[in-house]
Amino acid sequence: MLFENFYHSLIGWIELKLRSRQWILMLTLFCVALSIFLAFPPYTVLWNHLNHTGNLDAWTFIANQADNLLHPTDIGYGVYVRRDAMIYRWTLPFLSYVTRHNVVLILLFQGLIGIAFINQIAKYVFSVSNDKVTTCLFILSLSNIFIGVWPYADIHGYGDTFAYFFLLNALLTRKHAAVFFLMLAAFFTDERAVIAGGYVLLWWMLNKAYETGDFKLWSLIKNAFAGRGWVVWLSWIIYFTIRIYIGKTYFPDHRYTYNWAPILLQDGNRYGLGSSLWSVFEGMWLLLGAAFLALFLTKKYALLFVLSVGFVVLTSTGIYVHDIDRALSYGFPFLLMSVFVLFKNASLKSIRIIFFFMAFICVLHPLVFTMGYNRIIWLEPLPLRVIMGLDRLFHWNLFN
């Protein structure tokens, strides 16, 4: 009874606070501020890099790419220094060139992109739900998992936020030309987006199936080549054509130092695989599970099979890299597909309850993720970060 009263009081309070005309923007800014407060980014590492007392080597390579995109090794920085995959990632070098290698300016722009990403998803969820409470609970959840915090925590020069943003806009736009260029922009930001192009196809297959009411397997397959689907196939073809040409012309001797084996199944890494998978979506696994159950109970087995294959691709490719959180976060379209499925098959009352528990877990769960060679990173809340700073200043040695 006490919990029920708390739940209804919270729902009423949320409805009251979201009466503003600009409620989506206010909700976005609040959720972003809360996520930064609860998982304060490692800006001291960036400060050390800017003052030459530390080294974020990706930014060094990006600056060299910006000066000579097709010959980055000619200006004194070898490809084989953990940056061998970056020679085909061009978004950050472009921004570095435009800003004259101003890392702070790039990161400020990245932060704005992160806000726009959350804002656009809030608008989408509201368009599907027509309910401010579920929109609020979803955005609270999303902004407090890895993909919501990464626009501000990524001071290392990876640029995934831009790829997420390009993919999201490719999902939401109806213009074929825009889809084509957005997909290419995502592909040339990070290769993980190339795989995520398949999730964009799944998104349109799902929407078309519900639009037509045809959930047969053959119809779903045809949907992957109809409408905007063929644009994704074309973008794949163009991307690989450009990449192969650039590789043969400018990097004929290039070899990856990566051994092409599932890293997270090797040695001690596999002991942290379960926690790594959990930390990507945290409470939003409830959303994914609820959508899976909804499709199963409504006997949409072909659609469930197709989406499950896509999710298996997401998880099976994610275990090939150390930073699994970055890789699996490219599967954010599955979260949006889950929202769509639930509102097609479940009542608003039950969805609100699912979203309530989802938000509760995501907000209270510490931001923990796997980063590079199985290093587990915890982003501390701002008050704790302040105490840690005072500890270093006064040599209390509480955190040694």
Side-chain angles (χ1 to χ4, degrees):
M1 191 68 177
L2 182 62
F3 178 80
E4 185 178 355
N5 290 337
F6 170 74
Y7 170 76
H8 289 297
S9 297
L10 178 64
I11 296 300
W13 183 80
I14 291 174
E15 289 176 332
L16 179 65
K17 293 298 181 181
L18 296 180
R19 288 181 178 177
S20 166
R21 174 179 288 183
Q22 299 294 327
W23 69 272
I24 290 183
L25 177 59
M26 294 298 102
L27 172 64
T28 300
L29 295 177
F30 170 78
C31 289
V32 168
L34 179 64
S35 67
I36 294 175
F37 178 83
L38 294 177
F40 196 75
Y43 292 133
T44 52
V45 177
L46 176 64
W47 175 261
N48 293 336
H49 171 76
L50 296 175
N51 286 279
H52 308 290
T53 58
N55 181 34
L56 295 172
D57 62 308
W59 286 114
T60 304
F61 189 76
I62 288 166
N64 289 343
Q65 281 182 294
D67 291 333
N68 197 345
L69 186 64
L70 301 178
H71 299 90
T73 57
D74 291 349
I75 41 184
Y77 203 76
V79 171
Y80 295 106
V81 189
R82 296 199 304 115
R83 299 300 161 203
D84 43 0
M86 293 178 63
I87 60 175
Y88 298 110
R89 301 176 187 175
W90 297 345
T91 298
L92 288 182
F94 171 75
L95 292 174
S96 183
Y97 178 82
V98 170
T99 62
R100 297 184 179 181
H101 312 315
N102 191 321
V103 173
V104 173
L105 196 58
I106 295 173
L107 292 179
L108 286 174
F109 183 51
Q110 178 176 282
L112 291 175
I113 290 293
I115 294 173
F117 180 82
I118 296 293
N119 188 254
Q120 285 181 284
I121 290 181
K123 290 178 180 178
Y124 169 75
V125 173
F126 183 67
S127 71
V128 172
S129 65
N130 195 32
D131 181 57
K132 293 182 178 181
V133 173
T134 52
T135 302
C136 174
L137 294 174
F138 183 90
I139 296 304
L140 267 175
S141 304
L142 188 73
S143 60
N144 283 283
I145 63 174
F146 179 86
I147 195 171
V149 177
W150 195 231
Y152 319 100
D154 176 19
I155 49 86
H156 307 84
Y158 293 121
D160 301 290
T161 296
F162 296 99
Y164 300 149
F165 182 74
F166 296 144
L167 289 170
L168 175 65
N169 281 274
L171 287 175
L172 299 179
T173 186
R174 294 184 176 274
K175 297 180 180 179
H176 289 57
V179 172
F180 176 75
F181 288 110
L182 286 166
M183 295 301 290
L184 279 182
F187 296 167
F188 281 111
T189 301
D190 194 287
E191 291 82 0
R192 295 168 180 83
V194 179
I195 300 174
Y199 316 144
V200 176
L201 282 179
L202 290 175
W203 164 270
W204 291 327
M205 292 163 66
L206 171 75
N207 280 266
K208 190 67 174 179
Y210 273 97
E211 182 183 321
T212 61
D214 188 351
F215 296 94
K216 294 189 290 293
L217 181 60
W218 178 242
S219 300
L220 292 171
I221 294 173
K222 287 194 295 185
N223 291 343
F225 297 90
R228 290 166 289 177
W230 69 267
V231 182
V232 177
W233 292 99
L234 178 62
S235 65
W236 271 330
I237 293 171
I238 297 299
Y239 169 74
F240 283 111
T241 300
I242 295 173
R243 181 169 174 136
I244 291 171
Y245 171 77
I246 293 296
K248 289 185 176 180
T249 305
Y250 297 97
F251 302 101
D253 300 320
H254 174 252
R255 296 292 184 275
Y256 288 103
T257 53
Y258 179 59
N259 63 8
W260 302 102
I263 292 173
L264 290 184
L265 298 182
Q266 296 177 357
D267 303 325
N269 293 340
R270 63 180 177 273
Y271 299 123
L273 179 58
S275 61
S276 297
L277 289 171
W278 162 259
S279 66
V280 175
F281 297 125
E282 297 179 12
M284 301 195 88
W285 283 107
L286 291 175
L287 170 65
L288 294 168
F292 180 96
L293 185 61
L295 290 175
F296 180 79
L297 293 177
T298 55
K299 300 181 179 180
K300 296 181 176 64
Y301 300 126
L303 179 58
L304 180 60
F305 170 74
V306 170
L307 294 178
S308 297
V309 169
F311 202 79
V312 168
V313 170
L314 172 66
T315 53
S316 60
T317 54
I319 64 175
Y320 275 78
V321 294
H322 288 284
D323 41 4
I324 186 174
D325 302 74
R326 290 177 56 207
L328 295 192
S329 290
Y330 279 86
F332 74 86
F334 286 103
L335 300 176
L336 303 186
M337 285 186 269
S338 297
V339 172
F340 184 88
V341 167
L342 281 183
F343 275 97
K344 289 293 184 180
N345 297 285
S347 67
L348 177 61
K349 181 179 179 180
S350 60
I351 293 173
R352 278 188 172 186
I353 293 174
I354 293 170
F355 279 33
F356 168 77
F357 284 105
M358 178 177 74
F360 182 82
I361 295 171
C362 290
V363 172
L364 292 185
H365 193 287
L367 203 291
V368 179
F369 62 95
T370 305
M371 184 70 181
Y373 302 96
N374 206 36
R375 291 172 55 216
I376 305 301
I377 306 296
W378 174 34
L379 294 185
E380 299 87 355
L382 179 58
L384 182 57
R385 185 61 65 89
V386 171
I387 294 173
M388 292 171 69
L390 293 174
D391 176 72
R392 286 192 298 270
L393 180 64
F394 294 105
H395 306 290
W396 296 334
N397 298 321
L398 298 175
F399 295 92
N400 286 350

